[in-house]
Amino acid sequence: MTYPPQQPFPPPEDPYVNHPPTQPFTGPYPQAGFPAGYPHPAAPPRRPLWPWLAAVAALSLMLLAGSGWLLWDRVLREDSGVAACKALADRDRAAGGADETLTREEYLAMRRVFADSRYADLREHGTKLMDVLWQVTQLGTDDQVAALTYLEPLTRHVSGLQSACADHGVVIDLRLTD
């Protein structure tokens, strides 16, 4: 049995387009999936690149500023607690005496020096030592028995501050006698 020659099927009609193409393809090769003679579909609009560049530049600037701050804060700037340890180690013994009184402003300034330290051990022992010293100086000279109650915390925080300063490279001698 012989079959008659078959005719090729006509291309399917696009149900969304009711008109023939207006611009035939003129390039050397048809685009993939589009036969010759049909117009190319419009390229999708490109999104602008500047918002992405601005975001990357802003993040880079923030990273650079944060790195600079950390470098300055952690490496270049001396810690206030370590500076106080150095001042205690280098103090002139002839300038200070046991009978000096401590004013409220001096107490708050000395306490703030230790409170602003980035090291927890210097913050803890330095601020508590300043608190104990303030309480002792507020006692009158007649309250010698009450001063004995501050002997244990005073000893603990003096030795704690001395140890904390030594941990950060400053050896101080807190003996009262030469």
Side-chain angles (χ1 to χ4, degrees):
M1 177 167 171
T2 61
Y3 293 102
Q6 295 280 330
Q7 295 294 325
F9 289 108
E13 291 186 21
D14 190 355
Y16 300 106
V17 178
N18 294 334
H19 54 81
T22 56
Q23 295 177 346
F25 176 72
T26 57
Y29 301 105
Q31 280 188 342
F34 293 97
Y38 284 91
H40 287 276
R46 288 190 67 178
R47 292 185 179 176
L49 192 58
W50 69 267
W52 291 103
L53 291 175
V56 167
L59 288 175
S60 299
L61 185 61
M62 288 174 42
L63 182 65
L64 184 64
S67 300
W69 170 259
L70 284 176
L71 177 70
W72 178 79
D73 187 48
R74 301 292 178 183
V75 177
L76 300 176
R77 180 179 66 111
E78 184 177 36
D79 182 67
S80 63
V82 174
C85 288
K86 287 181 182 178
L88 282 172
D90 295 338
R91 76 183 189 282
D92 185 14
R93 291 182 181 269
D99 60 344
E100 288 187 16
T101 58
L102 186 65
T103 67
R104 179 176 169 76
E105 290 76 24
E106 291 172 335
Y107 156 68
L108 292 174
M110 289 170 37
R111 190 178 195 287
R112 191 175 308 114
V113 167
F114 286 108
D116 290 342
S117 176
R118 65 177 166 256
Y119 300 113
D121 53 353
L122 291 175
R123 273 194 315 268
E124 177 187 357
H125 292 294
T127 55
K128 289 182 181 177
L129 178 62
M130 291 302 118
D131 293 342
V132 171
L133 287 175
W134 172 250
Q135 291 169 354
V136 168
T137 59
Q138 296 307 303
L139 296 174
T141 56
D142 299 335
D143 287 337
Q144 294 174 356
V145 175
L148 289 177
T149 60
Y150 293 106
L151 185 60
E152 187 274 328
L154 183 65
T155 305
R156 179 170 15 106
H157 293 301
V158 165
S159 66
L161 182 62
Q162 188 175 13
S163 175
C165 289
D167 287 344
H168 298 287
V170 181
V171 178
I172 56 176
D173 183 16
L174 295 178
R175 291 180 295 174
L176 296 176
T177 60
D178 286 330

